[in-house]
Amino acid sequence: MAGSGKEIEFYFDFSSPYGYMTATRISALADEFGRTVSWKPFMIGAVLKVTGGTPLPMVPLKGDYHTRDMARVARLWGITYKQPEKFPISSQAPCRLIYWLQKNAPEHQEAAILKLYEAYFVEGLDISSPEVAAKIVATLAGDEAELVAATQDPEMKEKLKAECELAIEKGVFGSPFMIVDGEPFWGSDRFDHVREWLKTGGF
Amino acid sequence: MAGSGKEIEFYFDFSSPYGYMTATRISALADEFGRTVSWKPFMIGAVLKVTGGTPLPMVPLKGDYHTRDMARVARLWGITYKQPEKFPISSQAPCRLIYWLQKNAPEHQEAAILKLYEAYFVEGLDISSPEVAAKIVATLAGDEAELVAATQDPEMKEKLKAECELAIEKGVFGSPFMIVDGEPFWGSDRFDHVREWLKTGGF
């Protein structure tokens, strides 16, 4: 984490396979260019209300294609991935837990994000459940009861709401979404463009 | 064009910037692996009726992002690109001309596709006009009056309609869309995945 300390803002929804895959790589990319990652879990559903979009799995033709593409990108990237039976899910509880960690134990947030993602996309656990999500996070920080309570904490509710509103203000409409020095990049398929941007200082 | 002669089916809409950019590269990729390109101009509008989608430029947040991303991908790929003032356009006339060429002078279709794309995305000409599109194609094959007539030829109308229906049957929902040995790939950002697929025989 040496270097300028300038951030890569990394927006992601816990129900997003492309968000999961990119989350496994974003930290190494940041390190490579002396950046830090600003982890921004958000709710894609809040954005779809603005864009008038439909959750990807529900779109005719496109939904089926992406089911195939998600597994294919995972194989290409060498990432273990299993399409969960319950998909998509609401990511309120895990999002609020990450904002709780940012306040109380920020050093554990990356590990918690990856554990939550793996629980959902590898083990098929329903991390939309406050109890399930709290149990996973408790292996890193906090205790289960405290963490379950955090998912209903008015401060964390407000924080998540504010972050979703800020995301929309910044033009974030999908997951993953990366912002580098004001430049927006959407999708795991723009990961290499982010690298090129960091390498060249923009193109 | 040596090799197995097996095809890469290349679906594209003449109003699609990512279709344009990918069209400039697809032939070289096919050559690299001893394939041929099966050029499939289609109307994205016909597909959006099935998927319930909105034309990209009209989607809040996403539309603005893509205006930026299209120009950025063009710079990254080293392609001359200028966002046309009239965008998107209906691509009926240029599509029908390409199907006319496939019947009457197939050796000119790739050059015609690239010329039409450049006329629209570099020079800003409105290629939705039968006269404008015919004039461009006439530099390669046919004469202008014959080509203008071809855009209203019932056979070409029927051919384009049939190709759009076939595209939907095959699950094509965006532009560009590439199919390799039955495997579907959507987007200029899957171009490298197609290469990897051809190289490895699938992953």
Side-chain angles (χ1 to χ4, degrees), chain A residues 18 47 50-52 54 59-63 65-66 68-69 72-73 75-77 167-168 170-173 177 182-190 192-193 196-197 203, chain B residues 18 47 50-52 54 59-63 65-66 68-69 72-73 75-77 167-168 170-173 177 182-190 192-193 196-197 203:
Chain A
Y18 300 116
V47 175
V50 174
T51 58
T54 308
V59 182
L61 304 183
K62 206 169 175 173
Y65 169 80
H66 278 289
R68 184 177 195 132
D69 184 69
R72 195 171 59 196
V73 173
R75 292 195 303 273
L76 187 63
W77 285 25
I168 292 165
K170 290 189 175 187
V172 174
F173 59 84
F177 202 100
E183 189 71 17
F185 296 88
W186 170 49
S188 59
D189 43 72
R190 293 299 183 269
D192 291 338
H193 299 202
E196 195 62 21
W197 194 270
F203 52 83
Chain B
Y18 300 116
V47 175
V50 174
T51 57
T54 308
V59 182
L61 305 183
K62 205 168 175 174
Y65 169 80
H66 277 289
R68 184 178 194 132
D69 184 69
R72 194 171 61 196
V73 173
R75 293 196 301 274
L76 186 63
W77 285 25
I168 292 165
K170 290 189 176 186
V172 174
F173 59 84
F177 202 100
E183 189 72 16
F185 296 89
W186 171 49
S188 58
D189 42 72
R190 293 298 183 271
D192 291 338
H193 299 201
E196 195 62 22
W197 194 268
F203 52 84

Side-chain angles (χ1 to χ4, degrees), chain A residues 60-105:
Chain A
L61 304 183
K62 206 169 175 173
D64 285 344
Y65 169 80
H66 278 289
T67 299
R68 184 177 195 132
D69 184 69
M70 287 158 181
R72 195 171 59 196
V73 173
R75 292 195 303 273
L76 187 63
W77 285 25
I79 289 169
T80 309
Y81 170 80
K82 195 163 156 268
Q83 164 93 29
E85 274 182 45
K86 191 177 167 189
F87 179 72
I89 51 168
S90 164
S91 61
Q92 265 180 353
C95 282
R96 289 175 186 161
L97 286 175
I98 297 306
Y99 286 115
W100 185 90
L101 282 177
Q102 287 190 4
K103 187 183 175 193
N104 297 289

Side-chain angles (χ1 to χ4, degrees), chain B residues 108 111-112 115-116 132-144 147:
Chain B
H108 291 298
K115 277 201 171 204
L116 286 162
V132 171
K135 194 172 175 178
I136 293 160
V137 175
T139 62
L140 295 159
D143 64 50
E144 280 185 50
L147 292 165

Side-chain angles (χ1 to χ4, degrees), chain B residues 38-94:
Chain B
S38 176
W39 303 92
K40 298 283 189 185
F42 79 113
M43 312 260 297
I44 194 82
V47 175
L48 292 177
K49 280 179 197 161
V50 174
T51 57
T54 308
L56 196 51
M58 283 75 172
V59 182
L61 305 183
K62 205 168 175 174
D64 285 346
Y65 169 80
H66 277 289
T67 299
R68 184 178 194 132
D69 184 69
M70 287 158 183
R72 194 171 61 196
V73 173
R75 293 196 301 274
L76 186 63
W77 285 25
I79 288 170
T80 309
Y81 170 80
K82 195 165 156 268
Q83 163 94 27
E85 274 182 41
K86 192 178 166 188
F87 179 73
I89 51 168
S90 162
S91 61
Q92 265 181 353

Side-chain angles (χ1 to χ4, degrees), chain A residues 27-39:
Chain A
S27 210
L29 181 67
D31 280 352
E32 194 181 330
F33 295 97
R35 300 275 181 141
T36 55
V37 178
S38 176
W39 302 93

